């Protein structure tokens, strides 16, 4: 039986007993502890911080969320820390599933809100089940076969004779023919990756329904070989019109085969591991919510790379890259999402806002918004919490340049997420009324 350890980002792990264990502190085995230390060293070598070692007995996780399956059979599930209490494991798991859906552009048909709410198994089992459902749908539509060229030596002439190789044939084997011919086969990269993912699901799932379905599908794909080089086959995955019906299963294959990591895992273990930087997940989640809410007349761009902070030797220096740029009616608005907690009551501590965040938006405003535009608006977006439930009063950088600090509400199910805007903000004119509140905090 696979052991599951469920924690939140920034949780502390130890091998000894823990008083009042929960989402922020947990006990793991010595093998898991050692594996995480080795893994952290690999991440550190690539410039990524996975965790911090505190002495010889404690590890403190960083802001990555997702799943890590260890060689000893333990599944470490790391959930987002978006609630103030520890009694929200199901809500955190459902939120992470929705964020993964937004980050990977997964179809809503496969990840419905009711499906996520009712499925309370570990996130790894949810991923396996979504993969199996996508594969079922693909098989019903028909898996693609393709022509594969085969070169072989045989007694009978079949296909095209390889004249060059035949001329070099030894006299004692002159009765054999070197031939080339095409066979109609399932053996190509997309199918090989699907078979590899299916085999892994069949071996690792602990859910009875998933185990039964995976073994039934293995019989259907009995003729398909497994992939021997995941990275090469993923690079060869085709995205043309004839392969469009394969696109929904691609992200699930990547998740199952552990392709969603900040770096490639080294070594012999290749479990279903997926890690996402929480900051990036939150950015993509906000972007997806804004795309649904903005009218078609508005244009949303992400990770724009148009300008630099300064010039040096006739070249750009320090590229500026805002998270989101919205264009409408000839105007521009810059939005940046930050996965940090604010406290609207802590005025003396500047609401716990980092000064560097303001410097960043100040540079964006001067470099990305045309000088001739009146009423320049910049937006910092933070998660909505118990201490930050409504927009802060506006900050003025200069006459005509305003910075808004807004909360982003996750909601309880898919489609409920929204950016809370004050009605006096010009950008709010593009949104429906339920997105906007007046100065007293009531919906307008």
């Amino acid at each position: 039986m696979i052991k599951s350890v469920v924690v939140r980002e920034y949780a502390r792990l130890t091998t000894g007993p823990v008083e009042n264990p929960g989402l922020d502190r947990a006990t793991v085995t010595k093998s898991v502890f050692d594996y995480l230390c080795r893994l952290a060293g690999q991440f550190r070598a690539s410039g990524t911080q996975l965790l911090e070692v505190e002495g010889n007995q404690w590890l403190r996780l960083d802001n990555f969320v997702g799943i890590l399956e260890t060689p000893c059979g333990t599944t470490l599930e790391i959930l987002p820390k978006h609630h103030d209490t520890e009694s929200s494991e199901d809500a955190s798991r459902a939120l992470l599933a929705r964020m993964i859906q937004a980050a990977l552009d997964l179809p809503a048909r496969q990840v419905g809100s009711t499906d996520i709410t009712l499925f309370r198994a570990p996130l790894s089992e949810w991923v396996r089940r979504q993969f199996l459902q996508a594969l079922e749908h693909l098989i019903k539509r028909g898996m693609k076969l393709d022509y594969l060229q085969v070169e072989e030596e045989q007694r009978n002439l079949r296909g095209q004779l390889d004249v060059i190789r035949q001329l070099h044939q030894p006299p004692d084997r002159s009765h054999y023919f070197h031939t080339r011919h095409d066979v109609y086969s399932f053996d190509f990269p997309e199918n090989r990756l699907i078979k590899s993912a299916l085999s892994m699901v069949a071996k690792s799932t602990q859910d009875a329904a998933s185990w039964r379905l995976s073994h039934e599908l293995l019989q259907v794909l009995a003729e398909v070989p497994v992939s021997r080089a995941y990275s090469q086959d993923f690079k060869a995955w085709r995205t043309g019109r004839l392969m469009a019906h394969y696109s929904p299963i691609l992200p699930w294959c990547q998740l199952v085969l552990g392709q969603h990591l900040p770096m490639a895992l080294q070594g012999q273990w290749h479990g279903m591991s997926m890690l996402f930087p929480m900051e990036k997940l939150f950015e993509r989640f906000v972007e997806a919510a804004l795309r649904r809410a903005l009218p078609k007349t508005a244009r949303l761009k992400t990770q724009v790379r148009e300008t630099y902070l300064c010039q040096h030797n006739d070249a750009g220096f320090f590229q500026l890259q805002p998270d989101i740029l919205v264009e409408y009616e000839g105007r521009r608005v810059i939005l940046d999402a930050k996965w940090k907690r604010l406290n609207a009551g802590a005025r003396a501590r500047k609401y716990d806002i980092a000064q560097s965040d303001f410097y960043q938006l100040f540079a964006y405003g001067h470099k990305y918004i045309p000088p001739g535009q009146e009423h320049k608006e910049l937006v910092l977006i933070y998660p909505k919490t118990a201490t930050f439930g409504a927009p802060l009063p506006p900050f003025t950088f200069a006459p005509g340049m305003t910075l808004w600090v807004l909360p982003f509400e996750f909601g309880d199910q898919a489609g409920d997420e929204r950016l809370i805007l004050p009605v006096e903000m010009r950008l709010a004119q593009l949104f429906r009324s339920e997105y906007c509140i007046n100065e007293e905090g009531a919906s307008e």
Side-chain angles (χ1 to χ4, degrees), residues 348-365:
R349 299 201 310 265
K350 298 180 174 58
Y351 310 109
D352 296 331
I353 298 174
Q355 190 172 354
S356 58
D357 293 344
F358 271 44
Y359 285 154
Q360 190 177 40
L361 268 293
F362 182 77
Y364 292 161

Side-chain angles (χ1 to χ4, degrees), residues 284-294 408 417-418 435:
R284 293 296 302 272
F285 198 48
V286 171
E287 172 200 337
L290 291 179
R291 286 192 185 278
R292 290 193 302 269
L294 286 170
F408 183 84
E417 52 272 3
R418 68 185 182 116
Y435 282 76

